[in-house]
Amino acid sequence: MKKFLKYFKGYKLESILGPLFKLLEASFELFVPLVMAQIIDVGIKNQDMGYILRMGGVLVLLGVVGLTCSLTAQYFSAKAAVGIGTLLRNDLFRHINSLSYREIDTIGTSTLVTRMTSDINQVQSGINLVLRLFLRSPFIVFGAMVMAFTINVRAAMIFVVTIPLLSVVVFGVMLVSMPLYKKVQRQLDRVLLTTRENLLGARVVRAFNRQQEESRKFDQENAQLVRLQVFVGKISALMNPVTYVIINGAIVVLIWTGAWQVEGGIITQGEVVALVNYMSQILVELVKLANLIITISKALACANRISGVFDEQTSIVERAEGSLKGTPEGDVKVEFRNMDFYYAGAKEPSLSRISFQAFKGQTIGIIGGTGSGKSSLVNLIPRFYDATEGTVFVDGRDVKDYPLSGLREKIGMVPQKAVLFKGSLRDNMKWGRSDAGDEEIYEALDIAQAREFVDSKEKGLDLEIEQGGRNLSGGQKQRLTIARALVRKPEILIMDDSASALDFATDAALRRAIREHTKDMTVFIVSQRATTIRNADQILVLDDGKLVGLGTHRELLEKCEVYHEICLSQLSKEEVSR
């Protein structure tokens, strides 16, 4: 938990003033029973209305000053809590963005979303309550006991017995409930995962008429969450009745003892009332403390979960910040040398003993069956993952020796899933290069075969893109993601099955335009279509993570059985031999 203390540095003043003003409020509150005792023992006993009014004014003054202190404390506590929550959320978001695909795959997207939202909100609420009540409640509890000793030592001994007994109950419930709240948060992750899957896959759910099954699945996960929350709620709920029983029992003993002492002239009636008021104050504050401890339990559980994300360190480590220039061997742009790759936790390699060279200006086609490792292969070039064994070179230099920003500046990546962001078309295109002009963007749109439909929208580059590109078709999104990569004018262009939604004519026109306008660019095209990669300078054929074929279309037809079967399954014999 020490790692969270650094967030308080920018809010030291607020973190001190908040509890300080709460202690001032508590101090004024402790004087109220004494004033009431004076009103009873002096004003009411002597029927002195002037004295009663004067002491009543003192009570009002204490109330106003206490309210002012309370509002001031609330302001500083809220400011500190919100500020710390903002810093924590920013740092967590930044840290998540620093993680590689490996860590994000391991943790899970739904868990990260929960920790960015629900968990941090819970920590923020915990900080707010701690600053306001963590010192105030114990101060009043022990302050009331001290004030009781100033009234009567014998009666105060009831406080000495009651307070430890209440502390055992409060802290016992806290120790039991804390691990249970961790289980509640984990189950909340599962509910969020189910919700996220159904919202993202709404069309698929409806297409297969699975609404009722998915509803039942959600009900089961939600019911489990409810059961856990009810169970831990019952344990936490024990705190209030148990504390009420103990306090009210103590009040009964106090009144019984006080009655005998009043009759014996040891203490006055007003002092008995003051003692009862102090006991009532203890009851109120312990109830507050109980609720505070429940909130702290939740906040600590959430803080531990957030800490777990911070403890995850990226497996992609930058070794250098120097020159981006490599020492290419001839015109070799990209080289894989005896490369093996395992996903986290996998026992078998996803890619095994991969070796090949891609030269400057070449187009490299990558084809193979589903799960053969095509996307895994190209993801190693920009270091989204690191090779487990062997080496990946760019310009003759190990990719691990590049600063990540420098390496990825060389590469234009078109991912398998077309992702666009809410904003204008111009803003989306400038993800490729922030200083790109409109002419450069239109040039990229022309190459990507996207200019025609952009012009048809009549808003040009000011076309508003909805979240995830909801207002565009699949093919339109793919063409825009290709254009976004081309805007960068990269040295290496990677198209990971990024034309699957295009018709054959548009796909052919796209490949022709890329070939004509990217003379010095090394292009990697991952595709399931043999027609898409048949004219590539080199074709890599993958099968179950192994490189089973390397060469041109005609060479592979003769010597690679896997490639021959793929072509025959998609093309006629005449087209295959053409």
Side-chain angles (χ1 to χ4, degrees):
M1 299 305 298
K2 291 181 180 178
K3 66 182 68 176
F4 291 102
L5 295 178
K6 65 180 182 180
Y7 295 103
F8 285 84
K9 289 182 180 178
Y11 295 91
K12 284 182 180 178
L13 183 63
E14 290 82 355
S15 299
I16 293 171
L17 290 178
L20 179 62
F21 276 97
K22 270 296 177 182
L23 290 180
L24 285 173
E25 179 206 357
S27 300
F28 291 120
E29 193 170 322
L30 287 173
F31 286 112
V32 170
L34 295 180
V35 176
M36 285 298 300
Q38 290 298 109
I39 290 175
I40 293 171
D41 290 339
V42 178
I44 295 177
K45 181 180 179 181
N46 299 326
Q47 296 184 350
D48 186 345
M49 184 58 65
Y51 184 83
I52 294 173
L53 291 175
R54 286 195 302 276
M55 297 308 287
V58 173
L59 284 177
V60 172
L61 179 62
L62 288 173
V64 171
V65 174
L67 177 62
T68 303
C69 291
S70 178
L71 292 174
T72 306
Q74 177 63 53
Y75 169 77
F76 286 120
S77 300
K79 184 178 180 181
V82 172
I84 291 167
T86 301
L87 292 175
L88 181 58
R89 192 175 289 108
N90 288 340
D91 277 1
L92 184 60
F93 185 77
R94 193 178 299 112
H95 181 73
I96 290 171
N97 276 315
S98 74
L99 298 177
S100 71
Y101 283 14
R102 181 186 293 265
E103 288 76 44
I104 292 174
D105 292 344
T106 302
I107 300 171
T109 307
S110 60
T111 299
L112 292 175
V113 171
T114 304
R115 296 182 193 189
M116 276 288 300
T117 53
S118 173
D119 286 355
I120 288 183
N121 286 340
Q122 199 69 251
V123 169
Q124 185 173 305
S125 298
I127 291 171
N128 193 350
L129 286 176
V130 164
L131 292 177
R132 289 193 292 120
L133 299 177
F134 192 68
L135 291 180
R136 181 190 189 279
S137 293
F139 180 81
I140 284 190
V141 169
F142 290 103
M145 184 174 68
V146 171
M147 297 300 282
F149 271 102
T150 63
I151 294 173
N152 183 265
V153 174
R154 184 178 176 183
M157 295 306 295
I158 300 170
F159 288 76
V160 174
V161 174
T162 304
I163 291 173
L165 188 59
L166 288 168
S167 299
V168 169
V169 173
V170 169
F171 288 102
V173 170
M174 182 187 73
L175 292 174
V176 173
S177 61
M178 269 192 67
L180 292 174
Y181 280 118
K182 292 180 182 179
K183 288 185 178 180
V184 169
Q185 289 301 117
R186 283 197 294 270
Q187 185 59 29
L188 182 61
D189 283 346
R190 295 180 62 86
V191 171
L192 181 62
L193 174 62
T194 305
T195 305
R196 185 173 180 273
E197 284 183 338
N198 275 270
L199 292 176
L200 292 176
R203 290 180 174 83
V204 178
V205 172
R206 284 164 176 74
F208 286 90
N209 198 27
R210 295 274 301 181
Q211 293 96 316
Q212 292 184 351
E213 289 83 352
E214 290 300 311
S215 293
R216 279 196 293 270
K217 179 182 175 183
F218 179 81
D219 287 343
Q220 290 172 358
E221 296 291 353
N222 200 35
Q224 177 65 13
L225 176 63
V226 171
R227 281 193 292 271
L228 284 171
Q229 286 179 320
V230 168
F231 181 63
V232 70
K234 286 178 179 178
I235 293 175
S236 299
L238 282 174
M239 196 178 298
N240 282 2
V242 172
T243 51
Y244 271 105
V245 167
I246 294 172
I247 285 290
N248 283 297
I251 290 175
V252 168
V253 174
L254 186 63
I255 293 174
W256 177 272
T257 305
W260 286 107
Q261 289 184 309
V262 168
E263 188 172 339
I266 300 172
I267 60 175
T268 65
Q269 293 174 336
E271 289 173 334
V272 173
V273 171
L275 288 169
V276 172
N277 279 342
Y278 281 128
M279 190 63 78
S280 298
Q281 282 184 350
I282 290 174
L283 171 62
V284 171
E285 291 307 318
L286 281 172
V287 170
K288 288 181 182 178
L289 187 61
N291 292 325
L292 170 64
I293 288 173
I294 291 171
T295 303
I296 290 175
S297 299
K298 293 179 181 178
L300 288 175
C302 293
N304 287 331
R305 285 158 50 83
I306 295 167
S307 180
V309 178
F310 279 118
D311 289 339
E312 286 285 343
Q313 296 301 316
T314 180
S315 57
I316 306 295
V317 180
E318 295 188 70
R319 294 182 185 171
E321 292 292 343
S323 172
L324 301 181
K325 294 181 180 179
T327 54
E329 299 177 8
D331 288 329
V332 177
K333 192 68 178 177
V334 177
E335 181 182 358
F336 280 65
R337 190 179 297 172
N338 297 322
M339 193 280 302
D340 289 350
F341 173 67
Y342 289 76
Y343 280 104
K347 295 181 180 179
E348 297 295 327
S350 296
L351 294 167
S352 179
R353 313 313 295 171
I354 304 294
S355 295
F356 71 90
Q357 291 180 331
F359 294 88
K360 183 177 180 180
Q362 276 192 333
T363 297
I364 312 297
I366 303 175
I367 196 168
T370 302
S372 60
K374 301 185 297 298
S375 295
S376 300
L377 180 70
V378 294
N379 280 332
L380 293 168
I381 300 173
R383 279 195 83 194
F384 293 152
Y385 297 95
D386 268 343
T388 309
E389 297 289 342
T391 312
V392 180
F393 295 95
V394 171
D395 285 333
R397 181 179 178 181
D398 188 342
V399 292
K400 294 179 181 179
D401 291 334
Y402 279 95
L404 286 176
S405 59
L407 174 64
R408 291 170 185 172
E409 280 293 326
K410 292 173 172 280
I411 299 168
M413 188 75 187
V414 187
Q416 196 168 22
K417 182 181 178 182
V419 177
L420 295 169
F421 298 91
K422 182 176 175 59
S424 69
L425 176 58
R426 180 184 288 102
D427 292 337
N428 272 273
M429 291 299 103
K430 285 191 174 184
W431 276 66
R433 202 176 80 247
S434 58
D435 60 348
D438 288 358
E439 289 185 6
E440 293 173 295
I441 294 173
Y442 276 120
E443 181 185 354
L445 291 172
D446 283 329
I447 298 171
Q449 309 302 301
R451 179 69 178 269
E452 183 180 351
F453 87 79
V454 169
D455 289 342
S456 70
K457 300 285 187 180
E458 297 181 353
K459 291 185 179 180
L461 298 181
D462 294 320
L463 172 67
E464 192 68 21
I465 306 293
E466 294 182 10
Q467 183 182 2
R470 288 195 303 262
N471 56 333
L472 300 172
S473 70
Q476 289 171 341
K477 286 192 287 186
Q478 284 191 336
R479 280 177 279 173
L480 289 181
T481 54
I482 292 169
R484 180 176 61 195
L486 290 169
V487 165
R488 174 171 281 182
K489 296 183 178 178
E491 298 174 25
I492 302 168
L493 176 65
I494 299 173
M495 298 172 61
D496 185 6
D497 202 13
S498 54
S500 57
L502 304 183
D503 59 78
F504 286 98
T506 304
D507 186 18
L510 171 65
R511 284 184 280 112
R512 185 168 56 252
I514 290 175
R515 188 165 57 249
E516 291 173 356
H517 292 85
T518 58
K519 298 294 184 184
D520 295 327
M521 191 184 298
T522 304
V523 181
F524 287 83
I525 301 177
V526 176
S527 181
Q528 301 280 4
R529 296 176 181 174
T531 54
T532 300
I533 53 90
R534 64 183 295 173
N535 294 320
D537 299 301
Q538 283 192 86
I539 299 172
L540 309 181
V541 184
L542 296 177
D543 184 39
D544 196 23
K546 296 180 177 62
L547 183 61
V548 296
L550 174 61
T552 63
H553 172 69
R554 291 194 177 278
E555 290 171 348
L556 291 172
L557 283 176
E558 295 176 3
K559 64 182 183 181
C560 182
E561 184 179 347
V562 174
Y563 184 73
H564 191 262
E565 289 176 358
I566 291 172
C567 289
L568 287 177
S569 68
Q570 298 180 13
L571 308 170
S572 66
K573 290 185 178 180
E574 292 76 13
E575 288 174 318
V576 169
S577 59
R578 191 180 302 165

